[in-house]
Every structure is written in C-alpha cells, then in structure tokens.
Amino acid sequence: MGRIVQKYGGSSVADAESIKRVARRIARTRADGHEVIIVISAMGDATDELMDLALKVSPNPKSRELDMLLTTGERQSAALLAMALADLGVEAVSYTGSQAGILTTPTHGNARIIDITPGRVVRSLEEGSVVIVAGFQGVAQTTKDVTTLGRGASDTTAVALASALGADHCEIYTDVDGVYTADPRIVPSARRITEIGYEEMMELAASGAKILHLRCVEYARRENVKVHVRSSFSDKPGTWVKPHDEVRKAGKMEEAIITGVAHDRSEAKITVIGVPDQVGAAASIFEVISDAGINIDMIVQNVSRLSDVKTDISFTLPMSDGRKGIEALEANKNKIGFEEVLYDDQIGKVSIVGVGMRSHSGVTTTFFKALAAEGVNLQMISTSEIRISVVVSTDEVDRAVRGAHAAFGLDGEEEAVVYAGTGR
C-alpha cells in the first residue's frame, strides 16, 4: 500500500521484551501491506555505557575509535530486532549505516549526511524484506571511516532515509504520545498537540524540547517529509509535523498564541569581563570561539563593572564545550585584551514558542509577569519572530516552565503519560 520509515528510540528497545513488542508492531504494519524501513537506536543506555567504558580505558579516546565503538550499540539492537521479526515469520535484514548507503562528512562525533545511495535497501524491499538500519551513523565519503552523527541523530537518519526512498511519511516512536505543550515530566497537565508546523517544531527543538532532534526537523522541512511522532507503548494518534500551510488547511490549527514551552539544562554561560570598548573587540572574541568549533546561542553585552570604557560580554554555549571555550579564550587573552573570564554551568534556558505571537501584542508582558510571580530572576533574554527565551538559574527552571505554561492556558484535560523516562 505504501512505504513507511519507522524510527524506534532507545527507551522503546531497552530490553528483550521491548524489542519483541516493537517487532509485533512492525509485523502489524507489514501485514497491512506496507513496505517498512526501520531505523533503530541502541538499547536503553547502551551508548552511555559504551562511553563510560571508553573513558575507563582512555581518558581522551581518539574520536575515530570512539565512533567505531559507539556504533556497535545500534548494530546490536538492529540484529536483535531482525531475529525477533524472523520468529514472527517476517523476513527482515539488518544493515549498518554504511551498508545502507548513508554517506557523511568526515567529522567524527558530529558528522552530517551528504548523500544516501539506498540501492541495497531498495533491493531488499523489492525482495519483500523489512529493512532495519542502524541509526546515528554512516560512512565518510572521503575517508571511508565509520562516523557518528551526534547524540540523538537517529531521528535525522530516519528522515533522511524517508526522503531518499520517497516514503509516504516518517514515524518517530518515543516514550510519550506525541509532542506536548511542555515536558510532561515537569508539567503533567501538558496538552498533546495534534498537528504542528515545521517552523514551530524547529524552534521547540532548538530550545531544548527533546522529542525530536533539531537536525531531523531541519531535514524534514527542507525535503518536505511529513513526520508522525508517536509512542511505541500505545496506539494513540500522536502528533503530525508538517508544512504550516497544511496544518492551517486541515482546519485543526490551535488558536492559542503560544504553541508550547521548552526548556534546556544543557547550556552554560561564559562572561568575558573588561573587554575594550572598541570596534572589533566582540568580533575577536567570537572568532576565537568559532575557530574552536563551538556554537553559541544567546549573547548580551553590557557596560563593564570595571570601567565605563570597557564592556562585559556574556554568551551561552553547550555545557559540553565549556572547558574548550574557556581554554580558547585564555589562550588569546592578551590578543583580545580582556581582564578575566567567568563560567557558570548552573543555568537553564526557558522558551515560549508560537506563530501566534507575530500578530498578538502583550506576549512578552504575560511571559515576564508569569516568571516574576514565580520569583524567577532573568539573567539573559533573546527573541526571534516566534520565540522568546530567557536564561535563569537551573533551580528555577521547573517553576518557570510551569508558570509560563499556566499563564498561556496550555493545560490539557487529562494527565500526560510518560511510559519510559529518557525523553527520546
């Protein structure tokens, strides 16, 4: 009847019984007459356990060998799922990312997909097999080395395969029943969103919502792949991610000004104190950060507390890059001419997202009043056309999320269910 790509996250295949449950779901889809391509993550916390093992062996493992190690988690779960399907009478074949034709850049640990040559996958589908592809990995087009696409990037693998294979849509199976107006672990009354446009989903993902990987949504938008987010633990309808115009045409566009509230505890803040207040000073700082391969998020510049002819510049970056950022700045201290660097990893980002704020005034006031009512102090503020983000102390994140969610009337009629607990 159709061709469907399904992706199952680590919480969905955490143990043998979970793999059997997933196999039964796939068998039902196959029995309905669909061609099925599966993208699978490593079991449960297998990737974290492999990383811990690597660090016990070597405090600074080579990135190439780390990729060789980490990709074994997905290969393990792919092979086990193929075995479980065989026991159900469903012909299945498992492939690594490279065997499936996923070609990437040579950057170990955070490679990007360049192209997919799915000839082998297509032949297996034509032979009547369910094809299982190990997510999160590929092969570098130039070096032929195994590469990984970054944590959580099995979502991206699935959408890329759906595009390359001309699939009807891509199903992302997780441990919640779809995309919610906030993380149900923090706001149990969060409401499931029936349909959401790519633009809003990208902002939510970029702001810390763990339900979909940001690059997955970017890829889906670029290639116009419809994504269906569902739970592997239930048969509830989930959430469709699709072009915004199609959401409107369906007549199901929520009237709420704000679509959802997202949060992120994975960032840190660096403050560069006593920067000369002159042309090019900020550029020299961010050139150093860029050369270190670090992506930054929010930036604030103020008159320095040291002198009115100097400035202080604060910016946020991934916490995992914190040490690298400090080292890069200290190595260029004399060149830039600043006084000192401060580092704070006890922060969190809270964001509200919604296309409705384009045409409604008072959104910022409502948001900030809600945070004030919760006693939340704002350290940084950033905005886009459909997003407002603030940086707060990490112990204030939950209060900020709940306060903003209530202020914009986003509560649902029933309590959301979290079936597992990893969020992806």
Side-chain angles (χ1 to χ4, degrees):
M1 293 175 63
R3 179 175 287 180
I4 299 174
V5 174
Q6 296 181 339
K7 178 263 178 178
Y8 292 91
S11 59
S12 298
V13 292
D15 51 36
E17 287 305 314
S18 297
I19 291 174
K20 290 179 182 179
R21 185 187 65 250
V22 165
R24 291 192 292 270
R25 181 183 287 271
I26 295 167
R28 291 198 300 270
T29 305
R30 186 70 185 85
D32 289 338
H34 298 293
E35 291 182 331
V36 186
I37 305 95
I38 305 300
V39 174
I40 197 163
S41 297
M43 296 171 63
D45 297 323
T47 302
D48 289 331
E49 291 168 0
L50 288 170
M51 178 65 78
D52 290 342
L53 181 60
L55 294 175
K56 288 178 182 177
V57 171
S58 169
N60 189 28
K62 290 184 176 180
S63 58
R64 180 189 183 279
E65 304 310 324
L66 199 56
D67 275 1
M68 286 288 286
L69 174 68
L70 296 183
T71 53
T72 63
E74 281 73 17
R75 291 171 61 181
Q76 181 184 72
S77 53
L80 290 169
L81 180 59
M83 296 174 193
L85 283 166
D87 284 350
L88 297 176
V90 178
E91 188 68 29
V93 58
S94 64
Y95 290 133
T96 65
S98 60
Q99 288 173 328
I102 299 173
L103 306 177
T104 75
T105 58
T107 306
H108 289 292
N110 195 31
R112 291 185 175 269
I113 297 174
I114 296 174
D115 193 14
I116 296 181
T117 55
R120 196 170 181 182
V121 172
V122 171
R123 286 194 297 273
S124 294
L125 291 172
E126 291 172 346
E127 292 167 359
S129 295
V130 169
V131 177
I132 305 167
V133 178
F136 162 71
Q137 61 187 262
V139 60
Q141 191 173 43
T142 52
T143 64
K144 308 305 179 186
D145 282 338
V146 170
T147 56
T148 60
L149 308 178
R151 296 300 297 270
S154 291
D155 291 355
T156 308
T157 303
V159 169
L161 277 170
S163 174
L165 294 166
D168 296 351
H169 62 271
C170 177
E171 297 179 346
I172 303 290
Y173 284 91
T174 181
D175 61 358
V176 289
D177 288 316
V179 179
Y180 280 81
T181 51
D183 187 338
R185 298 162 186 80
I186 294 178
V187 187
S189 60
R191 176 173 49 84
R192 181 178 60 83
I193 301 168
T194 304
E195 296 183 342
I196 185 172
Y198 294 132
E199 188 177 16
E200 289 170 298
M201 192 65 243
M202 284 176 61
E203 288 283 12
L204 286 172
S207 299
K210 298 295 191 294
I211 195 70
L212 284 177
H213 195 266
L214 174 59
R215 280 160 58 186
C216 155
V217 187
E218 291 173 340
Y219 208 112
R221 181 188 186 189
R222 185 172 68 247
E223 301 298 326
N224 200 32
V225 176
K226 294 178 182 178
V227 179
H228 194 188
V229 182
R230 307 182 66 185
S231 170
S232 62
F233 299 86
S234 77
D235 292 318
K236 292 184 178 180
T239 300
W240 281 95
V241 184
K242 55 174 64 174
H244 188 69
D245 289 345
E246 290 190 24
V247 176
R248 285 175 180 261
K249 289 176 183 177
K252 297 177 182 178
M253 189 68 178
E254 277 88 355
E255 294 300 323
I257 300 170
I258 299 303
T259 300
V261 183
H263 72 281
D264 189 354
R265 288 189 174 91
S266 67
E267 293 193 352
K269 180 176 68 173
I270 287 179
T271 301
V272 187
I273 303 294
V275 180
D277 188 8
Q278 60 190 35
V279 175
S284 63
I285 289 174
F286 295 114
E287 181 181 18
V288 167
I289 296 298
S290 176
D291 288 346
I294 298 172
N295 292 320
I296 60 173
D297 184 10
M298 302 168 68
I299 305 171
V300 170
Q301 180 172 348
N302 297 307
V303 173
S304 179
R305 63 189 185 186
L306 299 180
S307 168
D308 57 7
V309 296
K310 292 182 180 291
T311 64
D312 295 343
I313 298 178
S314 298
F315 59 91
T316 60
L317 73 169
M319 192 184 301
S320 57
D321 288 332
R323 177 177 293 181
K324 184 164 60 171
I326 293 293
E327 291 175 351
L329 288 168
E330 291 290 359
N332 290 272
K333 183 176 182 179
N334 292 334
K335 175 184 174 183
I336 299 170
F338 62 85
E339 299 291 334
E340 63 176 318
V341 174
L342 303 179
Y343 179 73
D344 182 5
D345 59 7
Q346 298 301 303
I347 64 165
K349 180 172 68 174
V350 177
S351 307
I352 57 171
V353 174
V355 294
M357 68 173 67
R358 287 172 171 161
S359 55
H360 288 79
S361 60
V363 174
T364 303
T365 300
T366 301
F367 185 31
F368 288 174
K369 280 186 174 180
L371 297 178
E374 295 293 333
V376 175
N377 184 49
L378 310 184
Q379 300 182 24
M380 301 175 75
I381 302 169
S382 174
T383 65
S384 76
E385 191 177 19
I386 64 169
R387 173 191 50 79
I388 303 174
S389 296
V390 297
V391 168
V392 302
S393 173
T394 188
D395 59 1
E396 296 177 335
V397 169
D398 288 6
R399 295 205 313 276
V401 170
R402 294 189 191 105
H405 194 270
F408 288 101
L410 297 176
D411 288 347
E413 296 180 356
E414 59 183 35
E415 187 168 310
V417 178
V418 181
Y419 297 93
T422 64
R424 180 175 287 132

CSV table of all heavy atoms in Angstrom, one decimal, residues 304-346:
chain,number,residue,atom,x,y,z
A,304,SER,N,30.9,47.5,31.4
A,304,SER,CA,31.7,46.7,32.3
A,304,SER,C,31.5,47.2,33.8
A,304,SER,O,31.5,48.5,34.0
A,304,SER,CB,33.1,46.6,32.0
A,304,SER,OG,33.9,45.8,32.9
A,305,ARG,N,31.5,46.3,34.7
A,305,ARG,CA,31.5,46.7,36.1
A,305,ARG,C,32.9,47.2,36.5
A,305,ARG,O,33.0,47.8,37.6
A,305,ARG,CB,31.2,45.5,37.0
A,305,ARG,CG,32.1,44.4,36.9
A,305,ARG,CD,31.6,43.1,37.6
A,305,ARG,NE,32.6,42.1,37.6
A,305,ARG,CZ,32.4,40.8,38.1
A,305,ARG,NH1,31.2,40.5,38.5
A,305,ARG,NH2,33.3,39.9,38.1
A,306,LEU,N,33.9,47.1,35.6
A,306,LEU,CA,35.3,47.5,36.0
A,306,LEU,C,35.5,48.9,35.5
A,306,LEU,O,36.2,49.7,36.2
A,306,LEU,CB,36.3,46.6,35.3
A,306,LEU,CG,36.3,45.1,35.7
A,306,LEU,CD1,37.4,44.4,34.9
A,306,LEU,CD2,36.5,45.0,37.2
A,307,SER,N,34.9,49.3,34.4
A,307,SER,CA,35.2,50.7,33.8
A,307,SER,C,34.2,51.0,32.8
A,307,SER,O,33.6,50.1,32.1
A,307,SER,CB,36.6,50.7,33.2
A,307,SER,OG,36.8,51.9,32.4
A,308,ASP,N,33.9,52.3,32.7
A,308,ASP,CA,32.9,52.7,31.6
A,308,ASP,C,33.5,52.8,30.3
A,308,ASP,O,32.8,53.1,29.3
A,308,ASP,CB,32.3,54.1,32.0
A,308,ASP,CG,33.3,55.2,32.2
A,308,ASP,OD1,34.5,54.9,31.9
A,308,ASP,OD2,32.9,56.3,32.6
A,309,VAL,N,34.8,52.5,30.1
A,309,VAL,CA,35.4,52.4,28.8
A,309,VAL,C,35.6,50.9,28.4
A,309,VAL,O,36.3,50.6,27.4
A,309,VAL,CB,36.7,53.2,28.7
A,309,VAL,CG1,36.4,54.7,28.9
A,309,VAL,CG2,37.7,52.7,29.7
A,310,LYS,N,35.1,50.0,29.2
A,310,LYS,CA,35.2,48.6,28.9
A,310,LYS,C,33.8,48.0,28.9
A,310,LYS,O,32.8,48.6,29.4
A,310,LYS,CB,36.1,47.9,29.9
A,310,LYS,CG,37.5,48.3,29.8
A,310,LYS,CD,38.4,47.5,30.8
A,310,LYS,CE,39.9,47.9,30.7
A,310,LYS,NZ,40.5,47.4,29.4
A,311,THR,N,33.6,46.8,28.3
A,311,THR,CA,32.3,46.1,28.3
A,311,THR,C,32.5,44.7,28.9
A,311,THR,O,33.6,44.2,28.9
A,311,THR,CB,31.7,46.1,26.9
A,311,THR,OG1,32.6,45.2,26.1
A,311,THR,CG2,31.6,47.4,26.3
A,312,ASP,N,31.4,44.2,29.3
A,312,ASP,CA,31.3,42.8,29.7
A,312,ASP,C,30.4,42.1,28.7
A,312,ASP,O,29.3,42.5,28.4
A,312,ASP,CB,30.7,42.6,31.1
A,312,ASP,CG,31.6,43.2,32.2
A,312,ASP,OD1,32.8,43.4,31.9
A,312,ASP,OD2,31.1,43.4,33.3
A,313,ILE,N,30.9,40.9,28.1
A,313,ILE,CA,30.1,40.2,27.1
A,313,ILE,C,29.8,38.8,27.6
A,313,ILE,O,30.8,38.1,28.0
A,313,ILE,CB,30.9,40.1,25.8
A,313,ILE,CG1,31.1,41.5,25.2
A,313,ILE,CG2,30.1,39.2,24.8
A,313,ILE,CD1,31.9,41.5,23.9
A,314,SER,N,28.6,38.5,27.7
A,314,SER,CA,28.1,37.1,28.2
A,314,SER,C,27.5,36.4,27.0
A,314,SER,O,26.8,37.0,26.2
A,314,SER,CB,27.1,37.2,29.3
A,314,SER,OG,27.7,37.9,30.4
A,315,PHE,N,27.7,35.1,26.9
A,315,PHE,CA,27.1,34.3,25.9
A,315,PHE,C,26.9,32.8,26.4
A,315,PHE,O,27.6,32.4,27.4
A,315,PHE,CB,27.9,34.2,24.6
A,315,PHE,CG,29.3,33.7,24.7
A,315,PHE,CD1,29.6,32.4,24.5
A,315,PHE,CD2,30.4,34.6,25.0
A,315,PHE,CE1,30.9,31.9,24.7
A,315,PHE,CE2,31.7,34.1,25.1
A,315,PHE,CZ,31.9,32.8,25.0
A,316,THR,N,26.0,32.2,25.9
A,316,THR,CA,25.7,30.8,26.3
A,316,THR,C,26.2,29.8,25.2
A,316,THR,O,26.3,30.2,24.0
A,316,THR,CB,24.2,30.5,26.5
A,316,THR,OG1,23.5,30.8,25.3
A,316,THR,CG2,23.7,31.4,27.6
A,317,LEU,N,26.6,28.6,25.6
A,317,LEU,CA,27.1,27.6,24.7
A,317,LEU,C,26.8,26.3,25.3
A,317,LEU,O,26.4,26.2,26.5
A,317,LEU,CB,28.6,27.8,24.5
A,317,LEU,CG,29.6,27.4,25.7
A,317,LEU,CD1,31.0,27.5,25.3
A,317,LEU,CD2,29.4,28.4,26.9
A,318,PRO,N,27.0,25.2,24.5
A,318,PRO,CA,26.7,23.9,25.1
A,318,PRO,C,27.6,23.6,26.3
A,318,PRO,O,28.8,23.9,26.2
A,318,PRO,CB,27.1,22.9,23.9
A,318,PRO,CG,26.8,23.7,22.7
A,318,PRO,CD,27.2,25.1,23.1
A,319,MET,N,27.1,23.1,27.4
A,319,MET,CA,27.9,22.8,28.5
A,319,MET,C,29.1,21.9,28.2
A,319,MET,O,30.2,22.0,28.8
A,319,MET,CB,27.0,22.1,29.6
A,319,MET,CG,27.6,22.1,31.0
A,319,MET,SD,26.6,21.2,32.2
A,319,MET,CE,25.1,22.2,32.1
A,320,SER,N,28.9,21.0,27.3
A,320,SER,CA,30.0,20.1,26.9
A,320,SER,C,31.2,20.8,26.3
A,320,SER,O,32.3,20.2,26.2
A,320,SER,CB,29.4,19.0,25.9
A,320,SER,OG,28.9,19.6,24.8
A,321,ASP,N,30.9,22.0,25.8
A,321,ASP,CA,32.0,22.8,25.2
A,321,ASP,C,32.6,23.8,26.1
A,321,ASP,O,33.4,24.7,25.7
A,321,ASP,CB,31.5,23.5,23.9
A,321,ASP,CG,31.3,22.5,22.8
A,321,ASP,OD1,32.0,21.5,22.7
A,321,ASP,OD2,30.4,22.8,21.9
A,322,GLY,N,32.1,23.8,27.4
A,322,GLY,CA,32.5,24.9,28.3
A,322,GLY,C,34.0,25.0,28.5
A,322,GLY,O,34.6,26.0,28.4
A,323,ARG,N,34.7,23.8,28.8
A,323,ARG,CA,36.1,23.8,29.1
A,323,ARG,C,36.9,24.3,27.8
A,323,ARG,O,37.8,25.1,27.9
A,323,ARG,CB,36.6,22.4,29.5
A,323,ARG,CG,38.1,22.3,29.7
A,323,ARG,CD,38.5,21.0,30.2
A,323,ARG,NE,38.0,20.7,31.5
A,323,ARG,CZ,38.2,19.5,32.2
A,323,ARG,NH1,39.0,18.6,31.6
A,323,ARG,NH2,37.8,19.4,33.4
A,324,LYS,N,36.4,23.8,26.7
A,324,LYS,CA,37.1,24.2,25.4
A,324,LYS,C,37.0,25.7,25.2
A,324,LYS,O,38.0,26.3,24.7
A,324,LYS,CB,36.5,23.4,24.3
A,324,LYS,CG,37.2,23.6,22.9
A,324,LYS,CD,36.8,22.5,21.9
A,324,LYS,CE,35.3,22.5,21.6
A,324,LYS,NZ,35.0,21.6,20.5
A,325,GLY,N,35.8,26.3,25.5
A,325,GLY,CA,35.6,27.7,25.3
A,325,GLY,C,36.5,28.5,26.2
A,325,GLY,O,37.1,29.5,25.8
A,326,ILE,N,36.6,28.1,27.5
A,326,ILE,CA,37.5,28.8,28.5
A,326,ILE,C,38.9,28.8,28.0
A,326,ILE,O,39.6,29.8,28.0
A,326,ILE,CB,37.3,28.2,29.9
A,326,ILE,CG1,35.9,28.5,30.4
A,326,ILE,CG2,38.3,28.8,30.8
A,326,ILE,CD1,35.6,29.9,30.7
A,327,GLU,N,39.4,27.6,27.6
A,327,GLU,CA,40.8,27.4,27.2
A,327,GLU,C,41.1,28.3,26.0
A,327,GLU,O,42.2,28.9,25.9
A,327,GLU,CB,41.1,25.9,27.0
A,327,GLU,CG,41.1,25.1,28.2
A,327,GLU,CD,41.2,23.6,27.9
A,327,GLU,OE1,41.2,23.2,26.7
A,327,GLU,OE2,41.4,22.8,28.9
A,328,ALA,N,40.2,28.3,25.0
A,328,ALA,CA,40.4,29.1,23.8
A,328,ALA,C,40.5,30.6,24.1
A,328,ALA,O,41.4,31.3,23.6
A,328,ALA,CB,39.3,28.8,22.8
A,329,LEU,N,39.6,31.1,25.0
A,329,LEU,CA,39.7,32.5,25.4
A,329,LEU,C,41.0,32.8,26.2
A,329,LEU,O,41.6,33.8,25.9
A,329,LEU,CB,38.4,32.8,26.2
A,329,LEU,CG,37.1,32.9,25.4
A,329,LEU,CD1,35.9,33.0,26.4
A,329,LEU,CD2,37.1,34.1,24.5
A,330,GLU,N,41.3,32.0,27.1
A,330,GLU,CA,42.5,32.2,27.9
A,330,GLU,C,43.8,32.2,27.1
A,330,GLU,O,44.7,33.0,27.3
A,330,GLU,CB,42.6,31.2,29.1
A,330,GLU,CG,41.6,31.3,30.1
A,330,GLU,CD,41.7,32.5,31.0
A,330,GLU,OE1,42.7,33.3,30.8
A,330,GLU,OE2,40.9,32.7,31.9
A,331,ALA,N,43.8,31.4,26.1
A,331,ALA,CA,44.9,31.3,25.2
A,331,ALA,C,45.1,32.6,24.3
A,331,ALA,O,46.2,32.9,23.8
A,331,ALA,CB,44.8,30.1,24.3
A,332,ASN,N,44.0,33.4,24.2
A,332,ASN,CA,44.0,34.6,23.4
A,332,ASN,C,43.7,35.8,24.3
A,332,ASN,O,43.3,36.9,23.7
A,332,ASN,CB,43.0,34.5,22.3
A,332,ASN,CG,43.3,33.5,21.2
A,332,ASN,OD1,44.0,33.8,20.3
A,332,ASN,ND2,42.9,32.2,21.4
A,333,LYS,N,44.0,35.7,25.6
A,333,LYS,CA,43.7,36.8,26.5
A,333,LYS,C,44.4,38.1,26.1
A,333,LYS,O,43.8,39.2,26.0
A,333,LYS,CB,44.0,36.4,27.9
A,333,LYS,CG,43.7,37.5,28.9
A,333,LYS,CD,44.0,37.0,30.4
A,333,LYS,CE,43.6,38.0,31.4
A,333,LYS,NZ,43.8,37.5,32.8
A,334,ASN,N,45.7,38.0,25.8
A,334,ASN,CA,46.5,39.2,25.5
A,334,ASN,C,46.0,39.8,24.2
A,334,ASN,O,46.0,41.1,24.0
A,334,ASN,CB,48.0,38.9,25.5
A,334,ASN,CG,48.5,38.5,26.8
A,334,ASN,OD1,48.0,39.0,27.9
A,334,ASN,ND2,49.6,37.7,26.9
A,335,LYS,N,45.7,39.0,23.2
A,335,LYS,CA,45.3,39.5,21.9
A,335,LYS,C,44.0,40.2,22.0
A,335,LYS,O,43.8,41.3,21.4
A,335,LYS,CB,45.2,38.3,21.0
A,335,LYS,CG,44.6,38.7,19.6
A,335,LYS,CD,44.4,37.4,18.7
A,335,LYS,CE,43.8,37.7,17.4
A,335,LYS,NZ,43.5,36.5,16.6
A,336,ILE,N,43.0,39.7,22.8
A,336,ILE,CA,41.7,40.3,22.9
A,336,ILE,C,41.8,41.5,23.9
A,336,ILE,O,41.1,42.5,23.7
A,336,ILE,CB,40.7,39.3,23.4
A,336,ILE,CG1,40.6,38.1,22.3
A,336,ILE,CG2,39.3,39.9,23.6
A,336,ILE,CD1,39.7,37.0,22.8
A,337,GLY,N,42.5,41.3,25.0
A,337,GLY,CA,42.7,42.4,25.9
A,337,GLY,C,41.7,42.5,27.0
A,337,GLY,O,41.5,43.5,27.7
A,338,PHE,N,41.0,41.4,27.3
A,338,PHE,CA,40.0,41.4,28.4
A,338,PHE,C,40.7,41.1,29.8
A,338,PHE,O,41.9,40.7,29.8
A,338,PHE,CB,38.9,40.3,28.2
A,338,PHE,CG,39.4,38.9,28.1
A,338,PHE,CD1,39.6,38.1,29.3
A,338,PHE,CD2,39.7,38.3,26.9
A,338,PHE,CE1,40.1,36.8,29.2
A,338,PHE,CE2,40.1,37.0,26.8
A,338,PHE,CZ,40.3,36.2,28.0
A,339,GLU,N,40.0,41.3,30.9
A,339,GLU,CA,40.5,41.1,32.2
A,339,GLU,C,40.4,39.7,32.7
A,339,GLU,O,41.4,39.1,33.3
A,339,GLU,CB,39.8,42.1,33.2
A,339,GLU,CG,40.0,43.6,32.8
A,339,GLU,CD,41.4,44.1,33.0
A,339,GLU,OE1,42.1,43.5,33.8
A,339,GLU,OE2,41.8,45.0,32.2
A,340,GLU,N,39.2,39.1,32.7
A,340,GLU,CA,39.0,37.8,33.2
A,340,GLU,C,37.8,37.1,32.5
A,340,GLU,O,37.0,37.8,31.9
A,340,GLU,CB,38.8,37.8,34.7
A,340,GLU,CG,37.6,38.6,35.2
A,340,GLU,CD,37.4,38.5,36.7
A,340,GLU,OE1,37.6,37.4,37.2
A,340,GLU,OE2,37.1,39.5,37.3
A,341,VAL,N,37.7,35.8,32.8
A,341,VAL,CA,36.6,35.0,32.2
A,341,VAL,C,35.9,34.3,33.4
A,341,VAL,O,36.5,33.7,34.3
A,341,VAL,CB,37.1,34.0,31.2
A,341,VAL,CG1,35.9,33.1,30.8
A,341,VAL,CG2,37.7,34.6,30.0
A,342,LEU,N,34.5,34.4,33.4
A,342,LEU,CA,33.7,33.7,34.4
A,342,LEU,C,32.9,32.6,33.7
A,342,LEU,O,32.5,32.8,32.6
A,342,LEU,CB,32.8,34.7,35.1
A,342,LEU,CG,33.4,35.9,35.8
A,342,LEU,CD1,32.3,36.8,36.4
A,342,LEU,CD2,34.4,35.5,36.8
A,343,TYR,N,32.7,31.5,34.4
A,343,TYR,CA,32.0,30.4,33.9
A,343,TYR,C,30.9,30.0,34.8
A,343,TYR,O,31.1,29.9,36.0
A,343,TYR,CB,32.9,29.2,33.6
A,343,TYR,CG,32.3,28.0,33.0
A,343,TYR,CD1,31.9,28.0,31.7
A,343,TYR,CD2,32.1,26.9,33.8
A,343,TYR,CE1,31.3,26.8,31.2
A,343,TYR,CE2,31.5,25.7,33.3
A,343,TYR,CZ,31.1,25.7,32.0
A,343,TYR,OH,30.5,24.6,31.5
A,344,ASP,N,29.7,29.7,34.3
A,344,ASP,CA,28.5,29.3,35.1
A,344,ASP,C,27.8,28.2,34.4
A,344,ASP,O,27.2,28.5,33.3
A,344,ASP,CB,27.6,30.5,35.3
A,344,ASP,CG,26.4,30.2,36.2
A,344,ASP,OD1,26.4,29.1,36.7
A,344,ASP,OD2,25.6,31.1,36.4
A,345,ASP,N,27.8,27.0,34.9
A,345,ASP,CA,27.0,25.9,34.3
A,345,ASP,C,25.7,25.6,35.1
A,345,ASP,O,25.1,24.6,34.8
A,345,ASP,CB,27.9,24.7,34.2
A,345,ASP,CG,28.4,24.1,35.5
A,345,ASP,OD1,28.0,24.7,36.6
A,345,ASP,OD2,29.2,23.2,35.5
A,346,GLN,N,25.4,26.5,36.0
A,346,GLN,CA,24.2,26.3,36.8
A,346,GLN,C,23.0,27.2,36.3
A,346,GLN,O,22.4,28.0,37.0
A,346,GLN,CB,24.4,26.6,38.3
A,346,GLN,CG,25.5,25.7,38.9
A,346,GLN,CD,25.0,24.2,38.9
A,346,GLN,OE1,24.0,23.8,39.3
A,346,GLN,NE2,25.9,23.4,38.3
